Amino acid sequence: MSAARKKHNTEDYLRMYKQMVRIRAFEDKANQLYLSAKMPGLTHMYSGQEAVAVGICEALTDEDRITSTHRGHGHCVAKGANFREMFCELLGKEEGYCRGKGGSMHIADQANGNLGANAIVGGSMGIATGAALSAKRLGKDFVTVCFFGDGATAQGLWYEVMNMAALWKLPVIYACENNGYSEYTKTDEIAAGSLVKRAEAFGIEAFQVDGQDVLAVNELTSRLAGRCRKGEGPFFIELDTYRYHGHHVGDINRDYYRTKEEEAEWKDIRDPITNFGKSLIDQKMFTAEELVAIDNDIAADAEAAVDYALKAPYPDGSEVDMHVFAGVDHALDYLRGAR
Amino acid sequence: MPHDVIMPALGMAQDTGQILAWHKKPGEAVEEGDVLFEVETDKAAMEVEAQSGGYLTDVTVEAGAEVPVGQIIASISETPEGEGGASASQEPESPPEPAPEQEAIAGDKVIMPALGMAQDTGLIISWAKRPGDQVSADDVLLEVETDKSAMEVPAGYDGYVAEIFAEAGENVPVGNVIAIISARKPEAPVKRSTKSGQPEEDANPKPAEAVDATLAATPSTSAPGLARAIASSSDKLLASPKAKRLAREQGLDLDRLIKAGYPQPYHVADLEILKALPAETAPVAAVATAISRRVTAEVESSELNGFLSWLSDELGHPVRRETVLAVFAAAALRTVNAGEIVIGTEARGVSRTYLDPDLSGFGQVEPVDADRAPGLIVRDLAASPVTSIQLGGEAVPVLSVCGRGETFSLTCECAGDTLSGEATLALANGFAERVADPLRQLL
Amino acid sequence: MTREITLSKAVNEAIAEEMRRDPTIFLLGEDVAEAGTPFKVLSGLVEEFGTERIIDTPISEPGFMGMAVGAAMTGSRPIVDLMFGDFLYLVMDQLCNQAAKTHYMSGGKLKVPLVLRTNMGATRRSAAQHSQSLQAIVAHIPGLKVAMPSSAYEAKGLLKTAIRDDNPVVIFEDKLMYQDKAPVPEEEYLIPFGQANIKREGRDVTLVATSSMVQVAEEAAETLAREGISAEVIDPRTIVPLDEQTIIDSVRKTSRAIVIDEGHQSYGVTAEIAARISEKAFYHLDAPVIRMGAMDVPVPFSPALEDLTVPTSEGVAENARRICRGELVHAA
């Protein structure tokens, strides 16, 4: 390996490591906020799946778009979002990415190409494919990645838009994060046959990859994104991964659908951050102490962002009918015919 | 910095958790991830881990206790003694952040409203809600007696009656806080009387609050004259909203159509039939007494205000608005009522009496002794938040002036037996024209 | 210069003019290109703009509706052609959960400038799944604007405004009016949203009518005029936003109102407008506000039955007579 190549890798690897740790730190704080009854509503933890979001988003440009899911904090962080605005959004504060109107399940970060999380399972498949149609029609070279879970493969919308994406060779990558559970049900019980073959039936090139291996995910996505830009899309990737928490933060007693032993095995043996960290140390890119220092810095960042968000103001009541329509300050007057 | 140990939200619909056992003792060292205590929620026992390392201190809840979610039950401190060196068993000097339920009662203040008249206190007749009751903004909270009538005062806010500061029977100054409506159900709702501790509202209550309270206050019997007119011989009168409104404005009694045998429902066209009915003798008088006439007008306030400053400059001393209004009222009344005219004015709680004020120059108009019974009362409410008046006919006709921004809203009310409909209209019109164009009075 | 053209031609012109003006506009739907839709509304567009901008889709309504949302969020201004209004039920998630809420949920960051063109109207003998008028269903959803052109003139002016709007707009064209002609200027014009059109002035009763019901109301007004009853006819043109003031002012003048719309009567457009009149003109009403919508039954196939389900000019005139005579239409 040449020195330049190695340096390049070192920077990329450090970034990927940091981004995964940031996601984990964000989710740990979000979970604490819920447990301590400081966060309104529920949230869905991404912990355990970090290598998927980071491996993919690190292969994308700022111009590239993603659509995200109800389990979307990881995608959002990986695509470049800030802790502060994210925590503010989780707490319904004015400075949140969506001025407190979206919350955990609807964070959108237009500036970084995140077209938004979606609380309807599979709800963003049309949006992602439409963004790809936009790119092709307008002659832009951005690629769109559509994140969704294994549960969403049961939605008919996917087959409609895969059909059109394949017909029109759209620059879209369908990224199915198979974490083994569709809400509270094993994926085996809701999905017949092979997910990969479903995509292949449309003539779409499909891949299966270890979703706990950030480098494997990143390498594959880089290649497919490049091919999308050359008009060779769409593609499908099934990423095998695991969610450490329940379906949502309130899903605590989950023995009836999966064992503690199974959870422990994934956490102990297949944790994407631990394993990637070990390989960085093994390759002598970083020392264990350096990585611990990184972890601590990020944890402190997350802590500071939470403190900031807890103290941040809520939106003014007058915002309640703002942003209903673009170009209309207050919807209620407008709806009554005010000019 | 110590970290709070908080009763976690574990189940999806869980408000409290029961602590089954503490796995650490006060003062004991803990590491992040150590099991701190065990909680029973909906169905299962759950172990709760420490979110940070340190020493378990300030344990406020014992095993067995049922604790609301979100409540702080202990701290993880940097020293075994806990925050400020206090031992775990002692009360901490500054108590930990209280759980929401234990906060001092905070909420929206309900004030004794200015109920429209020149009135500076209100007598609380009764409370419709008790401390701790849930209320909607529109719910009647209490009944207040003012000069002439009982008024129902709505709560004005959604929430719970957290505190009541005055008992029924107490006379409370306008603007004073009489209750607190809290968003959350209060743990310990309070009822006191003004004698036992009346928190003073700001010296100058915010006008917006006062306006809201006044606007929201509705008479418990609306337009008594009208109510009687309609309900006298039939328990149900079918008429269109517009027909009813016009009948009220014109002092017409739709009941007479029923008596004359015309089939219901009545519409605007039927008012012509009603007007053409032959006048009744005795019953007419009764109806005339019962009904109450009301005419309203709106004029720009700028002319009168300009006139007042001009006049004050001209005379070299400030001229009271009610004096000028008394002159205008007398002049307007004179067009329908010859002879001596005594005008009573009521403004900001002060009553004055004027004798034929329109017959002397503005410079000479002075109040006379109050023993002359006025034939017409002028109420100047322009400085108050009241925007509209409907009190029904009184012993003598009343002209009320309410003000809001650029506009004066003028109301002429009288009992049916004091002035005819035509005379009421002429009085109201003459008064409004003069307020709208004061110079006309000089010419 | 003004000439008479069909509503179909007016829609076609509006799309062509806007597509020439703005290259980010494209149109997608089923059989929109060479076929020009079953109603031939789009004939000729593919010849001018090519299949890159007039895009034939598979029969996948949720799919292409969702794609339009994504395209709109990323710099395009798509026009979706939904062949029948009845298919709205197929696209509800994409339209109501995604398009309508995206701007709000993103705190104003994302915009969804798309137009959903579809149709409405019964009496084409198409039975229950191709005859519905579902405007009330989308008008119920905050974040969607809803236009209901009543003639070729409105169809063109409202559609051009819709295409330039930065929000999702649903336009309902009455499929029975595609061949109806009306004077349409050759010069460019737009019709702003939220501005009702007083089609005819009157003093005794206000007839508020949408889409093809405007014609029904005008016919009724003609009949009533011969009997000495003067009816005012108001076409709101957009039901979201609704020009409340024009309607309220009219009812305050006439004291009576009948609201006519071809959607089902219960919980419908007529109910909403009637409620607003009752709230804001109550003391000026000399009669109950009458709603006239489609009968609350699925649209039947048989002509003998279908014709019973829609409001007619005779029905409107009869209701107007009764309330003007002072009869309580539903007196106990």
Side-chain angles (χ1 to χ4, degrees), chain A residues 83 160 217 248 278 305:
Chain A
F83 279 172
E160 296 190 7
V217 174
H248 54 70
K278 270 186 203 152

Side-chain angles (χ1 to χ4, degrees), chain B residues 229-317:
Chain B
I230 289 175
S232 57
S233 65
S234 156
D235 47 356
K236 192 173 173 194
L237 183 139
L238 296 181
S240 77
K242 185 174 182 179
K244 284 184 176 174
R245 176 175 61 86
L246 292 178
R248 189 171 63 235
E249 286 173 3
Q250 297 170 20
L252 297 168
D253 176 12
L254 288 165
D255 252 7
R256 293 188 62 211
L257 284 169
I258 300 177
K259 286 183 196 141
Y262 288 92
Q264 302 187 60
Y266 302 130
H267 298 87
V268 174
D270 298 313
L271 297 181
E272 295 309 312
I273 300 172
L274 174 56
K275 287 178 196 163
L277 284 180
E280 294 177 39
T281 48
V284 167
V287 167
T289 315
I291 63 168
S292 147
R293 307 189 200 285
R294 178 169 182 263
V295 181
T296 61
E298 283 195 353
V299 300
E300 285 180 8
S301 58
S302 54
E303 289 297 330
L304 180 65
N305 292 337
F307 178 75
L308 272 173
S309 19
W310 172 81
L311 190 59
S312 302
D313 288 346
E314 203 67 15
L315 297 174
H317 61 81

Side-chain angles (χ1 to χ4, degrees), chain B residues 139-156:
Chain B
D139 287 353
V140 173
L141 182 62
L142 72 158
E143 209 176 348
V144 171
E145 186 180 295
T146 162
D147 317 347
K148 299 272 187 315
S149 53
M151 316 282 269
E152 290 177 341
V153 179

Side-chain angles (χ1 to χ4, degrees), chain A residues 5-42:
Chain A
R5 170 83 175 143
K6 181 151 188 220
K7 178 166 182 294
H8 178 68
N9 279 351
T10 306
E11 278 171 13
D12 286 353
Y13 290 4
L14 176 62
R15 224 185 113 74
M16 283 191 237
Y17 179 81
K18 279 185 175 173
Q19 286 291 69
M20 288 199 292
V21 173
R22 288 183 76 230
I23 294 172
R24 185 72 57 88
F26 183 90
E27 295 296 52
D28 285 350
K29 283 290 169 198
N31 193 38
Q32 281 174 29
L33 284 171
Y34 172 77
L35 289 175
S36 54
K38 286 176 180 161
M39 191 183 81
L42 283 171

Side-chain angles (χ1 to χ4, degrees), chain C residues 68-303:
Chain C
V69 179
M73 285 160 68
T74 49
S76 298
R77 301 184 80 89
I79 304 170
V80 177
D81 183 289
L82 193 63
M83 193 183 282
F84 283 89
D86 310 68
F87 305 162
L88 272 169
Y89 291 128
L90 289 162
V91 306
M92 284 310 264
D93 179 60
Q94 297 305 317
L95 180 65
C96 300
N97 272 332
Q98 311 296 344
K101 296 178 173 52
T102 293
H103 188 65
Y104 192 78
M105 291 193 304
S106 70
K109 285 212 171 85
L110 295 164
K111 288 181 191 172
V112 187
L114 71 79
V115 177
L116 174 58
R117 273 188 54 248
T118 192
N119 55 40
M120 50 164 283
T123 69
R124 250 185 101 255
R125 318 311 179 204
S126 308
Q129 295 174 339
H130 284 74
S131 306
Q132 296 169 88
S133 301
L134 299 180
Q135 54 273 21
I137 287 177
V138 285
H140 187 65
I141 309 303
L144 300 177
K145 300 186 183 182
V146 184
M148 300 190 65
S150 60
S151 77
Y153 174 79
E154 273 82 15
K156 184 171 181 183
L158 291 171
L159 180 52
K160 285 173 71 92
T161 301
I163 292 170
R164 296 181 190 193
D165 199 292
D166 274 346
N167 297 281
V169 179
V170 185
I171 289 207
F172 288 89
E173 295 154 8
D174 190 305
K175 57 176 102 67
L176 285 105
M177 289 172 64
Y178 278 130
Q179 296 313 315
D180 289 2
K181 288 189 172 179
V184 173
E186 288 194 30
E187 303 76 38
E188 170 154 84
Y189 68 98
L190 288 94
I191 299 177
F193 286 0
Q195 292 191 15
N197 185 20
I198 302 174
K199 297 283 285 188
R200 178 190 181 109
E201 295 205 17
R203 61 168 194 279
D204 296 328
V205 59
T206 300
L207 308 176
V208 183
T210 62
S211 185
S212 59
M213 293 298 111
V214 173
Q215 274 180 31
V216 166
E218 286 184 303
E219 279 168 33
E222 274 300 311
T223 307
L224 292 165
R226 287 194 291 274
E227 301 167 18
I229 295 175
S230 161
E232 181 145 308
V233 177
I234 294 183
D235 171 13
R237 302 202 283 204
T238 54
I239 55 172
V240 182
L242 181 70
D243 181 355
E244 224 173 69
Q245 199 57 49
T246 299
I247 295 170
I248 300 300
D249 287 347
S250 171
V251 177
R252 286 185 175 195
K253 178 177 69 174
T254 64
S255 308
R256 300 177 190 90
I258 300 175
V259 190
I260 313 130
D261 173 84
E262 213 188 321
H264 291 300
Q265 182 163 302
S266 293
Y267 305 97
V269 171
T270 57
E272 176 62 27
I273 296 176
R276 296 204 203 183
I277 292 171
S278 301
E279 285 170 3
K280 302 202 171 159
F282 183 76
Y283 292 104
H284 302 265
L285 286 173
D286 203 24
V289 183
I290 304 297
R291 292 166 302 150
M292 295 183 72
M295 193 183 284
D296 289 324
V297 296
V299 180
F301 167 69
S302 170

Side-chain angles (χ1 to χ4, degrees), chain A residues 31 33-38 249-250 252, chain B residues 6-12 14-15 41 69-70:
Chain A
N31 193 38
L33 284 171
Y34 172 77
L35 289 175
S36 54
K38 286 176 180 161
V249 283
I252 305 280
Chain B
I6 291 172
M7 172 56 71
L10 295 170
M12 266 192 90
Q14 168 222 0
D15 301 324
T41 166
V69 164

Side-chain angles (χ1 to χ4, degrees), chain B residues 47-355:
Chain B
E47 291 177 341
V48 179
E49 296 170 356
Q51 304 282 2
S52 56
Y55 297 91
L56 182 66
T57 63
D58 305 301
V59 177
T60 57
V61 180
E62 290 177 6
E66 187 91 12
V67 182
V69 164
Q71 183 168 324
I72 297 166
I73 56 176
S75 290
I76 298 203
S77 304
E78 285 162 15
T79 63
E81 288 74 36
E83 186 70 339
S87 97
S89 56
Q90 281 177 331
E91 277 293 303
E93 259 179 57
S94 57
E97 185 187 329
E101 286 73 15
Q102 296 170 337
E103 276 169 13
I105 296 176
D108 293 305
K109 293 166 180 167
V110 179
I111 60 168
M112 172 60 73
L115 287 172
M117 309 312 301
Q119 162 227 0
D120 42 26
T121 61
L123 175 69
I124 297 176
I125 300 173
S126 63
W127 286 94
K129 300 283 176 187
R130 284 172 312 178
D133 282 0
Q134 186 169 7
V135 289
S136 301
D138 296 336
D139 287 353
V140 173
L141 182 62
L142 72 158
E143 209 176 348
V144 171
E145 186 180 295
T146 162
D147 317 347
K148 299 272 187 315
S149 53
M151 316 282 269
E152 290 177 341
V153 179
Y157 306 95
D158 295 330
Y160 295 87
V161 179
E163 270 190 276
I164 284 180
F165 293 114
E167 290 171 6
E170 287 184 35
N171 220 354
V172 182
V174 166
N176 272 21
V177 179
I178 50 177
I180 300 280
I181 308 285
S182 63
R184 212 179 294 122
K185 190 168 170 61
E187 278 291 283
V190 180
K191 181 164 187 170
R192 345 174 185 170
S193 81
T194 48
K195 295 127 204 163
S196 69
Q198 158 70 45
E200 282 294 316
E201 173 61 323
D202 303 348
N204 301 308
K206 276 189 284 176
E209 284 178 15
V211 169
D212 285 350
T214 314
L215 290 177
T218 46
S220 55
T221 56
S222 64
L226 180 70
R228 265 174 280 144
I230 289 175
S232 57
S233 65
S234 156
D235 47 356
K236 192 173 173 194
L237 183 139
L238 296 181
S240 77
K242 185 174 182 179
K244 284 184 176 174
R245 176 175 61 86
L246 292 178
R248 189 171 63 235
E249 286 173 3
Q250 297 170 20
L252 297 168
D253 176 12
L254 288 165
D255 252 7
R256 293 188 62 211
L257 284 169
I258 300 177
K259 286 183 196 141
Y262 288 92
Q264 302 187 60
Y266 302 130
H267 298 87
V268 174
D270 298 313
L271 297 181
E272 295 309 312
I273 300 172
L274 174 56
K275 287 178 196 163
L277 284 180
E280 294 177 39
T281 48
V284 167
V287 167
T289 315
I291 63 168
S292 147
R293 307 189 200 285
R294 178 169 182 263
V295 181
T296 61
E298 283 195 353
V299 300
E300 285 180 8
S301 58
S302 54
E303 289 297 330
L304 180 65
N305 292 337
F307 178 75
L308 272 173
S309 19
W310 172 81
L311 190 59
S312 302
D313 288 346
E314 203 67 15
L315 297 174
H317 61 81
V319 178
R320 280 191 296 271
R321 181 167 52 211
E322 66 265 26
T323 311
V324 172
L325 293 175
V327 172
F328 292 173
L333 185 60
R334 202 167 294 283
T335 62
V336 298
N337 200 359
E340 191 180 72
I341 290 178
V342 181
I343 304 287
T345 62
E346 296 176 1
R348 292 171 291 277
V350 179
S351 298
R352 293 191 178 85
T353 308
Y354 297 88
L355 179 61

